[in-house]
Amino acid sequence: MKKLLLALLVIASFKIANAQQYALFGTKTMFDAFENTSQKSFTLDSSRKFSSNFFLPYFGINAANTGEASNVIRKLTQTGYFDTEGLPILNGEVNHFYQNSNIYVATFRLFHSYKYQKEIGLAWQIRSDAQIDYTNETLAIFDSPNRFPSNTLLPDIFNSSGYQQSYHQFSLTYRENYNKRLAFGVKASLLSGILYNKIDIADSYFYSNPESNTIELGLAANYRSNFTEGRELRKKTLLPFKNPGLSMSFGTNYTSKKGLMLMANIKDLGFIWWRKNTQETIVNTSNITINTFANRNDTNNDLTNIFTGEQENKKFLAPTNAKADIYVSKVYGFYKPSLIVSKNLFYKGGDVAFVNSFNYKNLSGSVTPLYNFNNIFMVGLQGKYQTPNFEIFLGTDNLISTAYTTKGIISNNGSTGSSTNGIGASVYMGIGIKFGNVVNHPQFSDIMPGINDNEGGSFFKNLFSIFKKK
């Protein structure tokens, strides 16, 4: 019974096992163009006018946990068995878990104009983010309250906080060249919330009384959710347009005369108005008595009822996990190094990645050392085949942990993996196809998007003209 304090872990653990797939930055794939709004994905005289994934796989999913509880999470993930017997307690250790996913269900993109290299795109994504900081004791009490010492007041051992948010994202993107070296892009999105959980335990204490077979708890906590138990999650939960929201992304890139490319983005700056079935519980009590003589399920239900017993309907706004990115790269023959710094704006976390790409004709491979600000070091590996009208790629942001986790799940062995480096899994892949007329240069074609029609000039030149002196 891991429904509340463990909800964030369980939701993520049983997905197809984010960094942001940094090895795809600067590649002119559809992913690059949709995620980095100023990037183009069409090549004159080679690409066809339209592109889509045709509902083929186009996604990235990642999860990781660091801290002493990693062995517990590893066993839960790889065998489905929850056991905290070997987990140290009362040492003040805090564990860190994070998960995010970005699944492009459907994409469509078109080359609109030759003159300013205008591109317009439509996308339907399903996104998810989770972060939680939790103590060893927070896990241990759900497994065996009797592990704690008797007749001893234990303060602040359950102080934890975290959130999980998943939602639909329906986007319209637009990019154009401002001149030969500078480009701008924007992405406007309509959001629809699917699942939300947030818990914050700011103060706590624990006391065990073996004579009466009871434990006493004191808690000061806040819990928000649009569901409390797994059985409430049905197919209709995934239907959109229940919890509306909006977000914006905008970015720019500049290529110097010496080939140095600079790119900056603000991504997914927005909010979701959670209103459908949303509940809030405020716990502020110094004397909660629970009978430990009963079986574990009954004890766990009593613990869960602390947060679900007095819920109130409450609508609230929650920000999306907006990010700020900076990207720098330069091509040296077949080798292209790239440095990327990404920082979350409203939540903790971020990444620094150094992408090493090696290209041979239409094939490329990338090795990406990455440091996540949650104190997680990873090494990613990617393979890609790309022509002007076709792309396919497969990669991972966390190669070693993914290999151990996959092996453990296949063998149903909860001890597979390192006990010191945490547990994690990451996979991303995509297939994109271009179709339609070839977007030839005007001197080679009688038909060219944006030529001999009313294309309306440059959107960004018109926008920035309001700052010019008349």
Side-chain angles (χ1 to χ4, degrees):
M1 208 297 297
K2 282 77 67 178
K3 295 184 293 188
L4 242 105
L5 297 177
L6 298 179
L8 309 183
L9 304 177
V10 174
I11 289 171
S13 295
F14 295 102
K15 292 186 176 180
I16 308 173
N18 149 33
Q20 296 185 60
Q21 294 81 63
Y22 295 113
L24 291 172
F25 283 30
T27 58
K28 296 183 180 180
T29 57
M30 278 198 302
F31 179 93
D32 187 27
F34 276 110
E35 291 295 306
N36 303 308
T37 56
S38 62
Q39 283 286 79
K40 63 181 181 180
S41 61
F42 293 89
T43 304
L44 283 178
D45 301 326
S46 299
S47 296
R48 297 185 179 275
K49 183 179 180 179
F50 308 103
S51 66
S52 176
N53 70 330
F54 292 99
F55 294 97
L56 297 171
Y58 215 93
F59 67 88
I61 304 175
N62 195 43
N65 186 94
T66 60
E68 291 182 337
S70 292
N71 286 334
V72 177
I73 305 304
R74 179 181 292 107
K75 182 176 290 187
L76 174 63
T77 303
Q78 296 175 178
T79 69
Y81 185 64
F82 180 58
D83 179 15
T84 65
E85 182 177 353
L87 179 66
I89 60 174
L90 307 181
N91 58 3
E93 288 297 316
V94 177
N95 303 275
H96 307 282
F97 174 87
Y98 85 99
Q99 177 272 338
N100 46 51
S101 62
N102 185 6
I103 303 171
Y104 279 90
V105 180
T107 63
F108 177 78
R109 197 170 182 90
L110 66 90
F111 185 89
H112 180 258
S113 169
Y114 155 75
K115 185 174 181 181
Y116 296 105
Q117 300 285 285
K118 296 179 181 179
E119 296 183 17
I120 299 174
L122 298 170
W124 171 21
Q125 301 163 252
I126 298 178
R127 309 192 65 142
S128 178
D129 296 283
Q131 291 188 22
I132 181 170
D133 300 329
Y134 63 99
T135 63
N136 292 351
E137 295 80 11
T138 304
L139 292 184
I141 192 173
F142 280 100
D143 184 33
S144 179
N146 295 324
R147 284 195 59 197
F148 295 86
S150 303
N151 299 317
T152 304
L153 184 64
L154 304 174
D156 297 328
I157 62 173
F158 302 125
N159 292 7
S160 305
S161 63
Y163 83 99
Q164 185 272 338
Q165 181 170 243
S166 58
Y167 55 92
H168 296 275
Q169 181 171 356
F170 302 94
S171 303
L172 171 66
T173 63
Y174 173 82
R175 66 87 55 198
E176 68 174 38
N177 286 354
Y178 188 81
N179 54 41
K180 291 183 179 181
R181 301 193 179 279
L182 183 64
F184 294 96
V186 295
K187 179 179 181 179
S189 301
L190 175 65
L191 311 180
S192 175
I194 302 173
L195 298 175
Y196 185 86
N197 269 272
K198 184 178 181 181
I199 191 166
D200 184 10
I201 303 176
D203 190 19
S204 62
Y205 81 82
F206 176 94
Y207 183 83
S208 175
N209 188 340
E211 295 181 358
S212 60
N213 289 318
T214 60
I215 59 175
E216 294 181 6
L217 298 175
L219 290 173
N222 179 273
Y223 177 66
R224 288 179 172 181
S225 176
N226 70 331
F227 81 101
T228 56
E229 299 188 27
R231 62 174 175 265
E232 296 178 9
L233 304 179
R234 304 180 180 92
K235 290 182 180 180
K236 66 180 182 180
T237 306
L238 297 176
L239 296 177
F241 310 119
K242 294 181 179 180
N243 301 287
L246 298 171
S247 71
M248 288 290 298
S249 301
F250 43 92
T252 182
N253 67 66
Y254 175 81
T255 305
S256 71
K257 292 182 179 180
K258 294 185 177 181
L260 183 69
M261 181 181 179
L262 304 173
M263 181 169 64
N265 297 288
I266 299 294
K267 296 181 178 178
D268 302 311
L269 184 65
F271 65 91
I272 297 175
W273 185 29
W274 291 93
R275 61 176 188 172
K276 185 70 173 180
N277 299 324
T278 54
Q279 307 281 332
E280 180 179 44
T281 302
I282 298 176
V283 181
N284 191 5
T285 180
S286 59
N287 189 11
I288 303 171
T289 301
I290 296 176
N291 183 7
T292 59
F293 187 76
N295 62 48
R296 188 170 73 177
N297 284 339
D298 289 340
T299 302
N300 287 352
N301 284 332
D302 289 339
L303 292 170
T304 301
N305 288 337
I306 296 172
F307 296 92
T308 62
E310 298 182 4
Q311 288 186 318
E312 296 181 1
N313 293 330
K314 187 171 183 178
K315 303 173 183 179
F316 53 88
L317 290 176
T320 54
N321 190 14
K323 302 175 185 290
D325 293 345
I326 297 177
Y327 169 92
V328 182
S329 71
K330 188 175 181 180
V331 177
Y332 299 92
F334 68 91
Y335 172 61
K336 184 177 78 169
S338 305
L339 178 65
I340 305 164
V341 179
S342 178
K343 181 69 177 68
N344 295 350
L345 297 181
F346 301 131
Y347 300 100
K348 294 190 302 182
D351 302 296
V352 177
F354 183 60
V355 183
N356 300 272
S357 298
F358 303 89
N359 303 290
Y360 177 74
K361 295 183 178 179
N362 296 324
L363 297 172
S364 70
S366 301
V367 179
T368 306
L370 183 149
Y371 175 74
N372 181 276
F373 295 166
N374 291 305
N375 199 28
I376 300 173
F377 179 78
M378 300 178 281
V379 176
L381 187 67
Q382 175 189 283
K384 177 170 63 70
Y385 175 79
Q386 183 179 14
T387 69
N389 293 304
F390 179 77
E391 63 190 56
I392 182 170
F393 54 84
L394 175 66
T396 175
D397 290 314
N398 196 351
L399 176 63
I400 297 174
S401 292
T402 300
Y404 278 130
T405 300
T406 303
K407 182 179 178 181
I409 292 175
I410 294 175
S411 64
N412 196 34
N413 183 354
S415 63
T416 302
S418 170
S419 61
T420 58
N421 296 327
I423 177 176
S426 166
V427 62
Y428 63 88
M429 67 175 298
I431 300 174
I433 302 170
K434 294 185 176 71
F435 59 99
N437 295 323
V438 176
V439 290
N440 288 326
H441 191 278
Q443 63 183 343
F444 301 124
S445 176
D446 295 329
I447 301 174
M448 185 67 193
I451 300 298
N452 298 326
D453 61 15
N454 183 19
E455 60 175 281
S458 167
F459 170 79
F460 288 102
K461 284 183 182 291
N462 293 334
L463 178 64
F464 296 150
S465 66
I466 63 176
F467 301 105
K468 295 182 179 179
K469 294 182 179 179
K470 294 185 178 179

